Amino acid sequence: MITANQLRSFTEQIFVAIGCSEADARLAADVLVSADLRGVDSHGVARLPGYVRLYDNGRINPQPHIRIVHETPSTAVVDGDRGLGLIVGPWAMQVAIEKARVAGTGWVAVRNSNHFGIAGYHALLAADHDMIGQAMTHAAPLVAPTFSLDKLLGTNPIAVAIPAATEPTFLADFASTAVAYGKLEILQRKGQDIPLGWAQNSEGQPTTDANAIRNGGALLPLGTDREHGSHKGYGLGAVVDIFSGVLSGANYGPWVPPFATAGFMQANEGVGQGTGHFFGAMRIDAFRPADEFKAHMDTWIQRFRQAKAVEGQRVLIPGDPERMMEAERLANGIPVLEPVIKSLEELGERFGVRL
């Protein structure tokens, strides 16, 4: 068990060691540790060695000149200059927020970026301003579309944050696949099998092998197969890829660069620039008075919480499990697997930083 402050301080020092400014390192560390606090261990500090490998391979610019390359009053395209997606993402969302202040809504497509952590972190930035926030990103091609043996899409998550009055912010944050690849990495570290429905082998058959993707298999879209709606997960992932890649000028489909933890994948020659994201901010009072809306969001949330549930369960609101986990981990510390501890200690030895 490690405290959030310990992890945050260590992570911040590592980012400074590879050349990030102190402000950028602080923000990047906050994005990663927020994932661990919320129980999204697949996107927390376990990813830190991967970001360093991207830096070692020349794919991350620790001092990027992030800039707007095209804009209208309500839209923009942002070039991340190969910066950490953990930094580029909040920068671009701030552009969306500022445009929403003026135009009512703001929409920002991003190119030439890298992995941006958990989508929910970025969506929540808008909720603090009485806005509805949206964030999505494509990722390395690990996913086979329905009936495909080829991997053409990433896990391609979508997050939407909607503020309420007295109730916590509604936050839906989910991959368009049956499961994020990081969940397979966790089971790989534990030497455990994966549940059926997460992945297929190289012949397109269901598998429980946590290493199936490394051996020619693929992750499955949300729904897992056609009979259970995989075409819907495929459609969601495709929309994210088009918004994040085709619209922004980033790579897309099978050309999206792999993250370093998926080092078994070779980057294909690109059709665009780096990894892409897409952000949106919608000012609530562009539709109705914000206080009135948030009061009704309270009513919405409370009614769903009161829903009659199956025995032994209760109906949760999107974001509830993560909020409960965050409270627990702030109080008791964050559990970190031994293989992750080892990888972090190796980083610490390299850069002279103590965990």
Side-chain angles (χ1 to χ4, degrees):
M1 303 295 285
I2 301 179
T3 68
N5 285 339
Q6 283 178 288
L7 281 181
R8 190 175 284 109
S9 175
F10 176 83
T11 303
E12 185 176 331
Q13 291 178 74
I14 295 297
F15 281 129
V16 167
I18 66 172
C20 295
S21 69
E22 289 189 4
D24 282 357
R26 192 176 309 114
L27 174 57
D30 189 57
V31 178
L32 289 187
V33 175
S34 73
D36 286 306
L37 281 172
R38 296 173 67 83
V40 192
D41 300 332
S42 58
H43 284 59
V45 295
R47 294 264 176 171
L48 183 57
Y51 290 108
V52 174
R53 283 196 290 275
L54 290 179
Y55 165 76
D56 289 339
N57 292 330
R59 284 181 46 199
I60 281 181
N61 175 7
Q63 294 281 346
H65 173 51
I66 307 170
R67 64 195 188 281
I68 296 172
V69 294
H70 178 77
E71 66 180 323
T72 72
S74 62
T75 67
V77 176
V78 166
D79 188 297
D81 194 25
R82 295 184 297 108
L84 280 165
L86 307 169
I87 303 304
V88 178
W91 197 96
M93 177 53 93
Q94 190 58 45
V95 173
I97 291 169
E98 293 305 319
K99 287 188 173 294
R101 290 189 200 280
V102 175
T105 65
W107 304 97
V108 177
V110 178
R111 70 188 187 206
N112 207 11
S113 183
N114 283 283
H115 190 277
F116 78 176
I118 55 172
Y121 184 96
H122 310 290
L124 282 169
L125 296 176
D128 293 336
H129 300 276
D130 277 355
M131 297 181 187
I132 295 172
Q134 301 177 50
M136 59 182 76
T137 185
H138 60 193
L142 297 172
V143 183
T146 302
F147 301 136
S148 175
L149 291 177
D150 290 334
K151 295 187 284 287
L152 298 175
L153 290 171
T155 53
N156 296 9
I158 301 169
V160 179
I162 306 174
T166 59
E167 294 289 346
T169 297
F170 172 106
L171 177 61
D173 181 359
F174 56 93
S176 55
T177 47
V179 68
Y181 180 69
K183 298 291 178 63
L184 273 74
E185 292 177 318
I186 291 172
L187 293 180
Q188 288 166 9
R189 297 183 192 112
K190 294 180 177 180
Q192 297 177 1
D193 287 339
I194 60 174
L196 281 173
W198 283 17
Q200 67 184 29
N201 62 22
S202 60
E203 297 178 349
Q205 300 301 313
T207 181
T208 61
D209 181 7
N211 293 295
I213 318 303
R214 297 176 178 270
N215 298 320
L219 286 175
L220 293 171
L222 190 63
T224 72
D225 57 36
R226 180 63 175 78
E227 289 70 26
H228 293 90
S230 67
H231 58 293
K232 299 176 183 179
Y234 167 29
L236 283 171
V239 168
V240 172
D241 191 42
I242 293 167
F243 277 34
S244 299
V246 182
L247 190 61
S248 70
N251 290 295
Y252 49 82
W255 296 283
V256 177
F259 187 68
T261 54
F264 59 92
M265 298 172 57
Q266 298 299 315
N268 297 316
E269 184 176 351
V271 292
Q273 298 181 51
T275 297
H277 323 302
F278 189 80
F279 301 98
M282 303 165 60
R283 210 175 69 214
I284 292 169
D285 65 6
F287 298 88
R288 66 186 299 192
D291 289 346
E292 181 181 291
F293 170 85
K294 291 194 295 182
H296 279 280
M297 275 302 299
D298 279 355
T299 301
W300 190 98
I301 290 170
Q302 290 160 8
R303 178 60 186 90
F304 275 69
R305 289 196 195 283
Q306 294 163 5
K308 187 175 181 179
V310 298
E311 186 175 352
Q313 300 293 337
R314 62 191 179 101
V315 176
L316 299 175
I317 305 302
D320 278 351
E322 293 82 4
R323 278 188 290 273
M324 290 186 286
M325 182 65 74
E326 183 172 15
E328 177 183 324
R329 290 187 170 186
L330 281 172
N332 302 316
I334 298 169
V336 184
L337 293 174
E338 188 60 35
V340 176
I341 291 289
K342 183 179 179 181
S343 68
L344 296 180
E345 288 176 340
E346 289 171 353
L347 277 185
E349 290 177 8
R350 171 179 170 182
F351 294 109
V353 178
R354 186 173 181 179
L355 180 61

